[in-house]
Amino acid sequence: MNYLKRAMLYLTHKKGQSLLLLLIMSAILVFVLSGIIIQNAALSATNSVTKSAGTTISVSANRNKMFAKMRSSSSKSKTPTITTPTVSNEKIKKAGKLSTVAYYNITNTASVNASSFDTVSTSTGSQGMGMMKGGKGASTGNISIEGVTSTKLTSSFISKEDKIVSGRNIKASDANSKNVVIEKELASSNNLKIGDSITVKTTTSGKKKIQLKVVGIYKAKSTSSSMPGSDPSNTIYTSYTLPASVTGTTGKSSTVTYTLEDSGKEKATTKKIKSIINSSSFTVSSNDESYQQLLQPMKNVQSFANKIVWLVAIAGTIILGLIIILSVRTRQKEIGVLVSLGESKLHIVGQLFSELFVILIGAMVIALLLGNFVGNKVGNQLLAQQQTTSITTTAKSSDGPGGAPGTQHNGGGMHGGAMMSQASTSSASQRALKTLNTSISPSSIMKLGGMGLVIIALAVCVSSISILRLRPKDILLGE
């Protein structure tokens, strides 16, 4: 073990060279460790995104089947009508009990006329709000009832287009009740407050009156429509059971959106929901836009970190190899004397390795002190850039003329698709990780040590070629 003592003596004697090697090795290991901890943080964030991204599966009416049915009935009737298909709530709830489903939101709509209050209308060309007396001559209804399981789960509330300003949201416990949430402008125009009752009339021949209780007031950010009576303020939110009773489809619903517990189970869950619904009148489609929007930055960060590790490792091996080769040239006489005295060439190679190993230990200590700081700065800067790029790209693809219309919601067509796309973008922006949780774990230290050993081993192997070819006689004769 004589070569181990020589290694320590050489390092203490050549302080300047040893310090240079320590600085170079430290720089290499700092960036290698930064890449490793960024990789680990990105992997952990990817798993978190998979669990919390909120991929949705929508069950809605098959529009092609609806129009085909209307066309076939128009040949028998002078007044063709579109009938929205429904599915039993039992099937919907059965699908909602799947282990991969976090929660679901049932949606039903109905049109009624205001009776005890006035609706809000916007006149074309006017700057103020006008009033239209409810229930007079309105054939299709001047109030839209949006029945949901929970208003918190609707696209307009997720995207902050609608926001509760007083009272509370509609909840699952409001099923079979007549509790409603009305718009702020409608409430102000009629001096309505939480706890008040309002009356609406159905548009059917019987014109049945229904008394509703105001439990919440929301504010809509949507711009007003130029069509009288169709202002967004005239939308009332209630439980999904109330519109069903108005339209005569009690116990059934027309649309439901399932939000998954794990976005990675989207395909399998879609297949199970299709088998439960089991109806050609409905389409079952998934929307993982939010998941992909959150996942892509994580993949990019992980890929970048992987490149950092390999590029620094390769560059470090080359740099150390060149330094050792130059060092061997300056130490040829020393090596020649040792070999002539009977020292094994393998021991001389072992001495070089021991010298670098001692430097590696010191460099690892420095890397552990600085690696997390560097990795945190680089990782979070890269994450911020990738998220900005991802959200901008998604917004352009959704809003542009060639963008995908998105999932249709309540027969909204292109407008409904745009709203769902905006909700997905907004939801992804809210869920997007602002910072990477970078930390040095025991596995990171082991990876760093392993890569450090590989780097110095390769560097020594490269430089050992010249040592093994050296002949003591030639060295001592100066040839």
Side-chain angles (χ1 to χ4, degrees):
M1 291 300 182
N2 224 3
Y3 66 91
L4 295 177
K5 288 184 179 180
R6 290 200 306 269
M8 295 304 298
L9 288 172
Y10 184 83
L11 290 175
T12 54
H13 181 67
K14 297 285 187 179
K15 292 183 179 65
Q17 184 175 319
S18 300
L19 180 60
L20 177 62
L21 283 172
L22 178 64
L23 292 175
I24 293 173
M25 181 66 76
S26 297
I28 293 169
L29 294 188
V30 163
F31 283 103
V32 169
L33 180 60
S34 298
I36 291 173
I37 62 177
I38 291 172
Q39 273 184 323
N40 292 342
L43 181 61
S44 175
T46 299
N47 294 333
S48 176
V49 163
T50 302
K51 297 292 183 182
S52 64
T55 293
T56 59
I57 298 176
S58 299
V59 179
S60 55
N62 187 323
R63 291 174 61 83
N64 292 332
K65 291 286 181 70
M66 286 171 59
F67 283 107
K69 188 175 181 179
M70 180 197 71
R71 285 190 292 270
S72 63
S73 63
S74 63
S75 59
K76 303 175 183 179
S77 173
K78 293 183 179 179
T79 308
T81 57
I82 297 178
T83 303
T84 303
T86 56
V87 63
S88 70
N89 291 337
E90 289 182 2
K91 288 185 177 181
I92 291 175
K93 291 176 181 178
K94 182 180 179 181
K97 291 179 181 178
L98 293 172
S99 60
T100 52
V101 175
Y103 53 85
Y104 59 93
N105 193 36
I106 301 173
T107 306
N108 285 323
T109 60
S111 179
V112 295
N113 284 314
S115 176
S116 65
F117 61 98
D118 297 324
T119 59
V120 176
S121 64
T122 306
S123 301
T124 305
S126 65
Q127 297 180 352
M129 290 286 189
M131 301 300 295
M132 181 178 71
K133 193 67 179 178
K136 289 188 177 181
S139 58
T140 58
N142 48 32
I143 292 291
S144 174
I145 296 181
E146 293 285 336
V148 296
T149 303
S150 171
T151 47
K152 283 184 177 180
L153 305 179
T154 61
S155 60
S156 58
F157 277 83
I158 292 173
S159 63
K160 305 298 183 182
E161 288 294 314
D162 295 341
K163 183 179 180 181
I164 293 289
V165 294
S166 180
R168 64 174 178 83
N169 282 281
I170 292 296
K171 301 182 292 186
S173 58
D174 289 312
N176 300 311
S177 74
K178 295 180 181 178
N179 297 332
V180 296
V181 172
I182 63 175
E183 209 278 325
K184 183 180 178 181
E185 191 63 41
L186 183 67
S188 299
S189 300
N190 292 278
N191 295 317
L192 296 172
K193 59 183 183 299
I194 303 300
D196 287 350
S197 295
I198 57 176
T199 304
V200 295
K201 289 190 299 185
T202 62
T203 58
T204 55
S205 56
K207 295 189 182 297
K208 178 184 175 183
K209 287 188 177 183
I210 305 172
Q211 190 174 38
L212 310 173
K213 181 181 179 181
V214 179
V215 296
I217 297 174
Y218 75 95
K219 181 174 177 59
K221 288 185 180 179
S222 303
T223 55
S224 299
S225 171
S226 59
M227 296 179 62
S230 62
D231 191 274
S233 298
N234 296 325
T235 298
I236 293 176
Y237 286 99
T238 183
S239 174
Y240 65 93
T241 56
L242 183 60
S245 65
V246 171
T247 57
T249 57
T250 302
K252 298 180 180 180
S253 299
S254 58
T255 307
V256 60
T257 303
Y258 298 94
T259 302
L260 303 190
E261 187 79 38
D262 185 345
S263 296
K265 303 292 180 64
E266 173 258 321
K267 289 185 179 179
T269 307
T270 300
K271 186 176 180 180
K272 288 180 181 178
I273 291 175
K274 282 183 178 179
S275 64
I276 293 172
I277 300 302
N278 192 27
S279 174
S280 61
S281 299
F282 285 87
T283 58
V284 180
S285 57
S286 62
N287 179 7
D288 64 347
E289 183 179 326
S290 176
Y291 172 57
Q292 295 298 335
Q293 188 174 325
L294 290 171
L295 186 63
Q296 192 57 47
M298 297 300 103
K299 287 183 176 179
N300 293 342
V301 170
Q302 202 170 347
S303 174
F304 182 79
N306 190 48
K307 290 175 182 176
I308 287 178
V309 172
W310 284 108
L311 287 175
V312 173
I314 293 170
T317 302
I318 294 172
I319 293 170
L320 283 178
L322 291 173
I323 290 174
I324 297 173
I325 290 172
L326 293 174
S327 176
V328 168
R329 287 198 169 192
T330 62
R331 298 171 66 179
Q332 280 191 2
K333 192 160 286 190
E334 174 196 342
I335 295 170
V337 171
L338 290 171
V339 174
S340 65
L341 292 174
E343 185 64 273
S344 168
K345 288 183 179 180
L346 291 178
H347 279 183
I348 294 173
V349 173
Q351 179 182 333
L352 291 177
F353 182 83
S354 300
E355 291 169 4
L356 285 181
F357 182 78
V358 173
I359 291 172
L360 173 65
I361 299 300
M364 281 189 65
V365 173
I366 296 173
L368 292 175
L369 293 174
L370 299 178
N372 196 40
F373 174 78
V374 175
N376 182 58
K377 290 292 183 183
V378 174
N380 286 314
Q381 181 65 29
L382 182 64
L383 177 63
Q385 291 176 352
Q386 292 297 330
Q387 283 177 342
T388 301
T389 302
S390 177
I391 292 173
T392 302
T393 302
T394 304
K396 286 182 178 179
S397 64
S398 298
D399 297 337
T407 306
Q408 291 183 1
H409 187 59
N410 296 340
M414 290 292 288
H415 176 70
M419 285 294 293
M420 287 297 288
S421 179
Q422 290 172 8
S424 296
T425 301
S426 175
S427 177
S429 299
Q430 293 169 22
R431 290 190 179 101
L433 294 174
K434 305 303 179 186
T435 57
L436 278 177
N437 183 23
T438 57
S439 60
I440 299 176
S441 62
S443 62
S444 299
I445 298 174
M446 292 179 65
K447 285 181 182 178
L448 178 66
M451 291 205 71
L453 284 173
V454 170
I455 290 172
I456 64 173
L458 290 174
V460 170
C461 287
V462 171
S463 59
S464 296
I465 297 173
S466 60
I467 295 175
L468 296 174
R469 293 175 58 186
L470 288 175
R471 291 190 300 172
K473 181 182 176 182
D474 295 337
I475 297 170
L476 294 175
L477 290 175
E479 295 182 7

